[in-house]
Amino acid sequence: MKPEDILAKHGLSRTSIRTKLIQILAEAHEALSSKEIEQQLDDNVDRVTIYRTIKLFEDKGLIHKIVVDEQSTKYRLIRENKSTDHPHFHCIKCDKVVCLPDTPLPCCDLPQGFRVSTQNTIIEGTCQKCNK
Amino acid sequence: MKPEDILAKHGLSRTSIRTKLIQILAEAHEALSSKEIEQQLDDNVDRVTIYRTIKLFEDKGLIHKIVVDEQSTKYRLIRENKSTDHPHFHCIKCDKVVCLPDTPLPCCDLPQGFRVSTQNTIIEGTCQKCNK
DNA sequence: TCATAATTGCAACTTTGTTGCAAAAGTATC
DNA sequence: GATACTTTTGCAACAAAGTTGCAATTATGA
Ligand SMILES: [Zn+2]
Ligand SMILES: [Zn+2]
Ligand SMILES: [Zn+2]
Ligand SMILES: [Zn+2]
């Protein structure tokens, strides 16, 4: 689907920044931080606009957020037929973050009376490129 | 074990701030943020000192860090016979974070050539007090 | 006690993200 | 396409969380 169609589908007006941002996320093979997005947007777009656009896309269900650690948050486009509730892999060498297949996660032993809404798993390790 | 003995065991000099900080963490039934620690240290101790002490304790293996989300990091004393690699529960109503029993986590489907070092799981939901 | 080494507090800085407001761009109607 | 109205963007200022350098204070060991 074209960036313009994705915007229309979610009832968002079509601006050049939004179109480019979707394109950047769609072409990425890994999750991107707001700074990485900023660097890929050639014209110098204001940080604030990027933050606001990311938040909008998140609220509208276009992208999902991955909190890697306290000062690293990345974003990835939600593709069709893909859930948002899958585990993620973080390479501690090259810092790349990728989505993993949506395997059924087993329940942990929870104390009585606790209720689960979502589960967030980040697997830390090294990717195949860094292991060569 | 007394706070003073814990310091000695890890080769750390015994200062009143470090002693109190260990005591606060030992008496807590949940993971604490640096701000929560600051509030429990009666005399107003400088933020910087708390950050430095937390980092020192973490490096020496006295405490473990739990990254709840992008702007909430909490810490918990590592007790004897307890691993540091267990899942955590975050109550989205009262914001409490607790350690969960160390259940054997199943491997997710990983792409070829990927190597795992640690796995970080945070279960979001509501605790038994908030469910009443 | 005294010298030495380690810890603490202060000020300044960095990074990541937010808010208010005016200027610019988009949308719909004619 | 021009017009009016709404939304988006950029700028400045701010906020929270954490870091660094340096001088003052406190701990340790002889
Ligand atoms: Zn890698
Ligand atoms: Zn993902
Ligand atoms: Zn609760
Ligand atoms: Zn824990």
Side-chain angles (χ1 to χ4, degrees), chain A:
Chain A
M1 220 199 289
K2 283 182 183 171
E4 290 84 357
D5 298 329
I6 296 176
L7 287 171
K9 187 185 157 191
H10 290 87
L12 300 174
S13 61
R14 172 172 150 180
T15 72
S16 68
I17 291 175
R18 289 180 184 174
T19 309
K20 275 188 204 165
L21 214 156
I22 290 179
Q23 204 174 325
I24 289 166
L25 286 164
E27 285 168 1
H29 293 125
E30 62 197 83
L32 300 177
S33 68
S34 72
K35 192 170 266 179
E36 287 165 337
I37 291 169
E38 192 179 357
Q39 288 160 348
Q40 292 199 41
L41 284 165
D42 9 271
D43 341 306
N44 46 339
V45 176
D46 198 86
R47 286 182 321 123
V48 178
T49 303
I50 296 169
Y51 284 126
R52 282 196 270 230
T53 309
I54 286 172
K55 201 166 206 175
L56 179 76
F57 284 2
E58 216 194 328
D59 291 344
K60 294 282 177 178
L62 256 110
I63 60 176
H64 68 286
K65 171 161 67 171
I66 305 142
V67 177
V68 185
D69 59 54
E70 58 242 271
Q71 30 218 13
S72 170
T73 304
K74 302 205 171 192
Y75 301 89
R76 187 117 180 87
L77 207 70
I78 298 173
R79 279 143 214 279
E80 296 179 81
N81 311 324
K82 256 252 171 187
S83 100
T84 173
D85 215 25
H86 46 259
H88 292 97
F89 185 90
H90 174 219
C91 178
I92 51 176
K93 276 199 181 168
C94 69
D95 206 44
K96 276 188 189 174
V97 173
V98 293
C99 300
L100 292 175
D102 197 354
T103 39
L105 290 166
C107 292
C108 299
D109 283 348
L110 277 180
Q112 276 237 326
F114 281 58
R115 216 171 290 162
V116 177
S117 58
T118 54
Q119 183 163 343
N120 238 319
T121 296
I122 296 202
I123 296 171
E124 307 267 350
T126 42
C127 74
Q128 95 275 27
K129 281 189 187 169
C130 292
N131 282 334
K132 274 181 188 164

